Amino acid sequence: SSDLGEPSATMSNIELNVMYRGYDNKFSISVPGVPNDKVKVSANGATVSKNGNRYIIKPTIEKGKVTLIVQAELNGKMLTMGTQEYRIMPLPKPGAFFAAGDKLYDGGNIPRNTLLNGNNRVVASFGQDALLDLKYTITSFKVQNASGQLLPATGDKFTQQQVAMIQKLKQGAPVNIVDIKAVGPDGKTVTLRGLPLTVN
């Protein structure tokens, strides 16, 4: 319990009051002076579940706003302590990269043996500065050479046909990885931007 004389302020950037569709939005919610088991969190437009000290809020509506309602049991009565609106946003789309160990290529020159190394693959990533920890899995892509020939692959690695095509390319020849499809945590497939690479 705090003395009323103590300064206390709650601040939030209301422009950033967002929730992501198809995602476990993690919230830390408490009411000062009220034990956590006497706090009830509900939502209009979303489901609420608890995981340890965190609340997991999952929007059930496609667009619009979710209203979060926080109640506390005081002297046997449930009192509303606060409500807050959150805009629903679609999950952000990652970028596509060709991953060689820790190095991510998003275009430009790439050594032929890096391209042909069987451990290297196409990945979806938000880069180092990602705000959300979202896992996207590459499900398919196509490789295109200068003559426009397109060869498809399922998964995130080159097929034998694609490898054979890359082996024949001259130094300086373009090799474009296009029509890259990835599945996000919401189960939806998105098409990522292509990778314009040049055999070095």
Side-chain angles (χ1 to χ4, degrees):
S1 66
S2 66
D3 295 332
L4 289 175
E6 278 182 27
S8 99
T10 305
M11 295 175 214
S12 67
N13 180 344
I14 54 174
E15 287 183 333
L16 297 181
N17 282 349
V18 297
M19 276 187 203
Y20 293 97
R21 198 170 54 234
Y23 180 68
D24 289 350
N25 297 275
K26 295 164 196 70
F27 277 75
S28 171
I29 300 169
S30 62
V31 177
V34 178
N36 284 345
D37 64 340
K38 301 283 186 192
V39 174
K40 179 174 178 267
V41 178
S42 58
N44 292 332
T47 59
V48 179
S49 57
K50 210 158 180 220
N51 184 354
N53 295 335
R54 293 282 169 90
Y55 290 90
I56 307 293
I57 320 283
K58 281 191 97 155
T60 53
I61 52 179
E62 281 293 304
K63 53 179 176 241
K65 291 184 176 169
V66 166
T67 305
L68 219 48
I69 302 140
V70 179
Q71 296 175 301
E73 189 182 319
L74 296 169
N75 304 325
K77 286 197 184 119
M78 289 306 280
L79 297 177
T80 299
M81 306 306 286
T83 62
Q84 181 72 59
E85 278 192 342
Y86 293 84
R87 284 179 300 139
I88 298 178
M89 303 282 283
L91 286 173
K93 226 199 256 196
F97 298 88
F98 189 76
D102 290 342
K103 190 162 170 46
L104 295 177
Y105 292 87
D106 63 353
N109 290 331
I110 187 166
R112 186 191 308 267
N113 46 359
T114 300
L115 267 177
L116 296 175
N117 180 326
N119 295 320
N120 297 340
R121 60 200 213 293
V122 179
V123 297
S125 171
F126 290 93
Q128 308 296 318
D129 302 325
L131 289 174
L132 296 171
D133 180 20
L134 300 176
K135 183 157 173 44
Y136 277 79
T137 304
I138 301 288
T139 52
S140 67
F141 64 90
K142 295 182 179 119
V143 174
Q144 184 180 38
N145 63 11
S147 64
Q149 183 187 9
L150 275 173
L151 291 176
T154 302
D156 61 1
K157 292 194 173 181
F158 291 135
T159 63
Q160 285 175 312
Q161 274 185 309
Q162 289 171 336
V163 165
M165 180 171 93
I166 292 164
Q167 279 169 335
K168 289 187 198 130
L169 294 175
K170 295 187 170 68
Q171 189 168 353
V175 53
N176 295 320
I177 301 174
V178 296
D179 199 18
I180 303 166
K181 306 266 194 250
V183 173
D186 56 359
K188 292 187 174 151
T189 297
V190 292
T191 304
L192 307 184
R193 61 171 169 70
L195 291 173
L197 299 167
T198 304
V199 178
N200 197 349

